């Protein structure tokens, strides 16, 4: 045997380095895993942003029913503590069963001491007349006509003595199971020449829109027959309040769905509903047709005939 150096191989503590090809494949797999995790994280974040955005848009553009606070007289804004101590009793009385008769809710505009203004809510005043007195007289005359017809069970949302917020008036109708809601008002303008009839139907955003418009068209025609000028295209309109509380009026021929606040009672009643501005209390010609015992009775008869026509009754 030839002489040579003897080399002793001892097992090292360090692992043997893998072949370069194995290392390259592992690195590639790890990079792919990191990229997949990154993409999944980005997708989850994007989905969260989209869902949050959609939720905000739906919340902003679709206000809940309780958020609509407008009344026929916008400067008399509802307060959380407003209303009357007698309102609960009135609502309970209205909620009695109607024994199969058609329940029609009649809402005389204004009346009672409004705690928000600390005074009697007369509505508009002109020509020696008060809106609350004319509308109540008309509402009572209509109530008597409906009560005399055993096919109907009329409900008054207020009696002129206790102030009720618009939401409370609408609640009276809803709890009574009203199938139709009519709110009676008079218009006002600083110009004595402004005149005519207009009514505001539940807008397109509400499921009661079509039937509200149908009833409004009947009423508009009836008051035209009484001699009232029809305002707008056909006397039936929609009213909204924008973010600055300015009135926005559109004709009923405009079917665009808008989510701005409208009259509270039109939504709170839960049934086809119309708010009528019979005429202008500031116009003597309109009041000659609508005020006084004869005028209120004529208006009540027109409403009664329209209600019968609406329900296809002779």
């Amino acid at each position: 045997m030839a002489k040579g150096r003897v080399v002793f191989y001892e097992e090292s503590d360090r692992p043997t380095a893998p072949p370069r090809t194995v290392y390259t494949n592992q690195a590639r797999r790890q990079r792919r895993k990191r990229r997949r995790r990154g993409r999944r994280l980005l997708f989850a974040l994007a989905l969260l942003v989209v869902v949050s955005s959609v939720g905000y848009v739906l919340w902003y553009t679709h206000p809940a029913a309780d958020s609509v606070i407008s009344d026929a007289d916008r400067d008399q804004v509802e307060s959380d503590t407003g209303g009357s101590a007698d309102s609960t009793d009135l609502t309970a009385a209205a909620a009695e069963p109607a024994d199969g008769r058609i329940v029609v809710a009649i809402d005389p505009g204004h009346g009672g001491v409004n705690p928000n203004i600390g005074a009697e809510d007369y509505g508009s005043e002109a020509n020696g007349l008060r809106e609350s007195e004319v509308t109540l007289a008309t509402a009572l005359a209509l109530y008597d006509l409906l009560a005399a017809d055993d096919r109907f069970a009329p409900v008054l949302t207020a009696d002129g003595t206790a102030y009720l917020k618009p939401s409370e008036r609408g609640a009276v109708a809803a709890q009574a199971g009203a199938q139709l809601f009519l709110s009676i008002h008079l218009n006002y303008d600083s110009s004595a020449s402004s005149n005519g009839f207009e009514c505001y139907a539940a807008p397109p955003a509400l499921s009661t829109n079509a039937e509200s418009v149908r009833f409004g068209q009947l009423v508009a025609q009836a008051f035209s027959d009484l001699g009232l000028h029809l305002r707008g295209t056909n006397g039936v309109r929609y009213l909204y309040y924008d973010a600055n509380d300015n009135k926005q009026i559109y004709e009923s021929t405009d079917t665009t769905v808008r989510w701005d606040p409208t009259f509270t009672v039109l939504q709170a009643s839960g049934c086809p509903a119309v708010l009528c501005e019979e005429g202008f209390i500031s116009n003597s010609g309109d009041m000659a047709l609508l005020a006084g015992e004869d005028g209120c009775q004529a208006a009540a008869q027109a409403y009664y005939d329209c209600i019968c026509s609406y329900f296809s009754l002779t």
Side-chain angles (χ1 to χ4, degrees), residues 168-250:
E168 292 174 317
R169 292 169 180 256
V172 171
Q175 292 179 22
Q179 294 153 267
L180 187 64
F181 179 92
L182 169 66
S183 187
I184 303 173
H185 290 260
L186 292 176
N187 230 328
Y188 175 86
D189 192 82
S190 57
S191 171
S193 62
S194 296
N195 69 320
F197 171 94
E198 60 188 356
C199 66
Y200 297 98
L206 300 180
S207 62
T208 54
N209 166 247
E211 288 300 289
S212 299
V213 170
R214 183 168 74 85
F215 180 60
Q217 290 171 340
L218 292 172
V219 176
Q221 183 58 55
F223 275 78
S224 176
D225 294 342
L226 283 179
L228 275 294
H229 159 69
L230 294 184
R231 295 170 60 82
T233 301
N234 58 10
V236 184
R237 318 177 95 173
Y238 302 130
L239 183 142
Y240 306 91
Y241 289 92
D242 65 16
N244 296 317
D245 211 28
N246 297 314
K247 292 181 179 180
Q248 304 292 318
I249 297 176
Y250 297 88

Side-chain angles (χ1 to χ4, degrees), residues 84-91 93-94 106-113 120-121 132-141 143 155-165 168-169 172:
S84 165
D86 298 328
S87 61
T88 302
D89 294 336
L90 179 60
T91 301
I106 310 166
D107 178 52
H110 305 282
V113 176
E120 186 76 20
D121 178 17
S132 60
E133 295 174 354
V134 176
T135 58
L136 179 60
T138 302
L140 290 174
Y143 182 95
V155 173
L156 280 174
T157 64
D159 61 6
T161 60
Y163 173 80
L164 295 179
K165 296 185 292 183
E168 292 174 317
R169 292 169 180 256
V172 171

Side-chain angles (χ1 to χ4, degrees), residues 3 8 28 38 51-52 55 61 63 65 73 113-114 117 127 133 146 175 205 221 228 255 259 271 274-275 289:
K3 293 182 179 179
F8 295 94
R28 288 174 179 171
V51 171
S52 300
T61 59
D73 194 356
V113 176
N114 184 343
I117 60 176
N127 294 316
E133 295 174 354
L146 291 171
Q175 292 179 22
Q221 183 58 55
L228 275 294
T255 58
W259 297 99
C271 63
V274 169
L275 186 149
L289 296 172

